[in-house]
Amino acid sequence: MKLDTTIIEALSLDPKTTTVKTHGSSGFNATAKISTTLSDGTQKHLFMKTAPGKNAEVMFRGEHASLNAIHAVVPSLCPGSLYTGVSADDGTAFLVTDFLDMSSGGSSGGDGIASREEQQQHSGMSLAAKLAKLHTTPAPIPKGYAKPVFGFPETTCCGDTPQPNGYEESWARFYARNRLEAILQKCERNNGRDAEVRSLVERTVEKVVPRLIGDEHLNDGKGVTPVVIHGDLWSGNKGRGRIGGKGAAVEDVVFDPSAVYGHSEYELGIMNMFGGFGKGFFEEYHGICPKTDPVEEYGDR
């Protein structure tokens, strides 16, 4: 497998000491492991995704921004992304990130016992604690705004479906326009107009959304503060591994995000839908990141 010259130049890799081979699998793209020897003789590993087409460019730009948004708040929660771009050779889109070694599973060594050095390197945080930290840290303020707002600087993809993320100061308005109405429009473009489906979505936008997540309704009229949301957090997008590979501590990690600056409880919908997060997880999580008021409507939201 040959490494594209665009990637070699973008990451300042030495082609004489760099190799690439297929690694892992994905439903939407090809995946590979890049190994390179640095000037001091140490070896560094990177992870790469590639796919053809404009849709892949959009997907990788979104994932690049998503990984770095999460990594900036909780570095031990996910790999950082190093570069995304398009091959000058054949137009293939690519994404290169820190390597995440998942082969260690639940232990830091062959005997299941972490070394003293690894114990010192470990963040000491569970997945619940990391997610709660992410969800209690205000999102960055976008250029042109005076405070955090809902949205994201890039279009992101849930699966292979692009999600618009234009900024809104209201969470209810963002959710209605950029999630409910956006997916309705995509469905109608692909399958034609269905009057009943459109009516249900319109009624949900007009009545249910403001009733449950309207700014004047949440937290006694104070609304909610935008935080970084993974956006596609289900059991298949979490695990335990070493960010950077050998020598790093085994951590609870997440990957394949589709981030947005949103309401923390938005994350919990997919988590509950597909399972994989038990009662103990949510007890620990909500001990750090409390449920939004009115608490009695938590399940409805």
Side-chain angles (χ1 to χ4, degrees), residues 3 35 51 184 186 237 294-295:
L3 189 61
S35 299
L184 173 64
K186 180 174 176 60
N237 282 346
V295 173

Side-chain angles (χ1 to χ4, degrees), residues 30-294:
T31 54
K33 179 180 181 180
I34 300 171
S35 299
T36 189
T37 302
L38 304 179
S39 57
D40 63 0
T42 59
Q43 196 168 53
K44 183 178 180 65
H45 302 294
L46 306 171
F47 180 70
M48 178 176 67
K49 293 182 177 182
T50 60
K54 292 292 183 181
N55 289 343
E57 292 180 43
V58 172
M59 181 183 295
F60 290 159
R61 283 198 302 268
E63 185 173 350
H64 172 79
S66 296
L67 285 168
N68 287 337
I70 297 170
H71 190 80
V73 181
V74 190
S76 64
L77 182 54
C78 75
S81 184
L82 305 176
Y83 193 77
T84 185
V86 179
S87 167
D89 297 338
D90 61 8
T92 297
F94 60 84
L95 172 74
V96 181
T97 74
D98 292 330
F99 186 71
L100 177 57
D101 182 5
M102 303 288 287
S103 63
S104 304
S107 66
S108 294
D111 57 3
I113 301 174
S115 68
R116 181 175 299 177
E117 180 183 1
E118 288 171 337
Q119 290 173 356
Q120 292 172 345
Q121 291 175 341
H122 193 280
S123 67
M125 299 173 69
S126 66
L127 181 58
K130 291 179 184 183
L131 194 65
K133 180 178 179 181
L134 185 69
H135 290 173
T136 53
T137 303
I141 300 173
K143 185 177 181 179
Y145 291 86
K147 63 179 183 178
V149 291
F150 302 98
F152 202 62
E154 294 284 351
T155 296
T156 52
C157 295
C158 188
D160 61 353
T161 301
Q163 300 180 123
N165 288 316
Y167 292 122
E168 297 282 357
E169 296 192 11
S170 162
W171 170 238
R173 188 158 55 248
F174 174 87
Y175 183 73
R177 291 180 177 177
N178 293 321
R179 292 299 180 264
L180 297 181
E181 292 178 347
I183 196 65
L184 173 64
Q185 292 164 8
K186 180 174 176 60
C187 287
E188 290 182 341
R189 287 195 300 269
N190 292 344
N191 306 302
R193 187 182 177 103
D194 184 301
E196 183 179 3
V197 171
R198 169 162 281 277
S199 175
L200 288 171
V201 173
E202 289 176 345
R203 286 163 57 194
T204 300
V205 166
E206 293 170 6
K207 298 184 179 298
V208 179
V209 169
R211 170 63 183 83
L212 284 179
I213 61 173
D215 297 331
E216 69 285 347
H217 183 64
L218 297 177
N219 287 327
D220 296 321
K222 298 176 183 177
V224 293
T225 299
V227 298
V228 178
I229 303 299
H230 177 286
D232 191 16
L233 187 52
W234 63 292
S235 58
N237 282 346
K238 70 178 179 76
R240 286 178 60 78
R242 305 173 192 265
I243 298 175
K246 185 177 180 180
V250 174
E251 295 272 358
D252 289 311
V253 293
V254 298
F255 38 88
D256 292 348
S258 177
V260 67
Y261 306 150
H263 180 200
S264 59
E265 291 182 356
Y266 176 66
E267 191 90 276
L268 310 185
I270 291 179
M271 292 170 65
N272 279 301
M273 185 187 306
F274 293 102
F277 301 87
K279 180 180 178 182
F281 175 95
F282 287 106
E283 288 177 348
E284 181 182 0
Y285 169 84
H286 283 306
I288 304 169
C289 182
K291 298 176 182 178
T292 300
D293 284 323

